[in-house]
Amino acid sequence: MTMNTTGSSLPPGAEWEPDPHAASMTYLGAIWRRTCTEGSQVAMIAADHHLDSDGRVARGVILAFADHAVGSAGIARFGVTQVTIELEVRFIDTAGPGELIEGIGDLIGAAEDGDIVFLAGRISANGRLIATSQGLWKRVKPL
C-alpha cells in the first residue's frame, strides 16, 4: 500500500510506503521507503527518544539507521535477506528532534558468486549530509 504523506512530517507530495524490512528496527519508529532515481531511499523522523543528553540524535541511532538504509540497497537489488559483516560510518554532522533523516545506499560491487556485496551510502537530515557509510553484507537464506 502506497501512502501519500501530504500533511505529515514527510516531504509533501512524496510517495512513501512503510518499509517491510524494518520490523526489527522498532526503536527507530516508523521507517518509510520509496524508489528514487538513485535507488531505494528510506526515511525516519527524529523523535525525542532518539536524542542524547545534548538534545541531538544519538550517534548510535544514526549508525543503526545507516545499517538499515545502506543494507536496503542490497535488498532492493537482490530481493533477499542479508546480514551485515562490516560497517564503517563517518559522522559529519548531527541531527535534531523533528528532523527528517533520509538514507540512500548504492551497490558498489559483489563477490563473483554474489553472496557478499559491498555497499555504500549517505545519511542526511533535512537535506544536510550527516554521515557516510560503507560495508560488506552477506546474502543469507531465509529461515
Side-chain angles (χ1 to χ4, degrees):
M1 173 175 106
T2 300
M3 177 178 292
N4 184 320
T5 59
T6 302
S8 73
S9 297
L10 292 174
E15 293 293 324
W16 293 91
E17 63 184 17
D19 187 342
H21 304 291
S24 64
M25 308 294 288
T26 56
Y27 175 78
L28 294 179
I31 295 181
W32 304 88
R33 74 173 182 173
R34 69 178 174 181
T35 302
C36 64
T37 56
E38 297 178 70
S40 180
Q41 184 177 21
V42 296
M44 63 174 271
I45 303 296
D48 288 344
H49 71 276
H50 298 132
L51 306 180
D52 62 18
S53 61
D54 292 329
R56 296 183 174 106
V57 175
R59 284 185 164 73
V61 171
I62 295 170
L63 187 141
F65 182 74
D67 184 29
H68 178 72
V70 177
S72 292
I75 294 172
R77 177 71 180 264
F78 297 110
V80 297
T81 305
Q82 55 197 358
V83 295
T84 308
I85 297 173
E86 177 181 295
L87 177 65
E88 178 181 314
V89 177
R90 291 176 189 89
F91 299 100
I92 297 165
D93 200 353
T94 60
E99 287 196 275
L100 174 67
I101 299 176
E102 296 176 90
I104 190 157
D106 300 307
L107 175 69
I108 304 301
E112 199 170 299
D113 63 5
D115 281 344
I116 295 179
V117 294
F118 179 64
L119 305 169
R122 300 167 310 284
I123 307 300
S124 62
N126 286 356
R128 175 179 90 256
L129 184 66
I130 62 170
T132 61
S133 60
Q134 63 183 25
L136 298 171
W137 278 258
K138 180 172 178 38
R139 298 190 316 165
V140 295
K141 295 178 185 173
L143 296 176

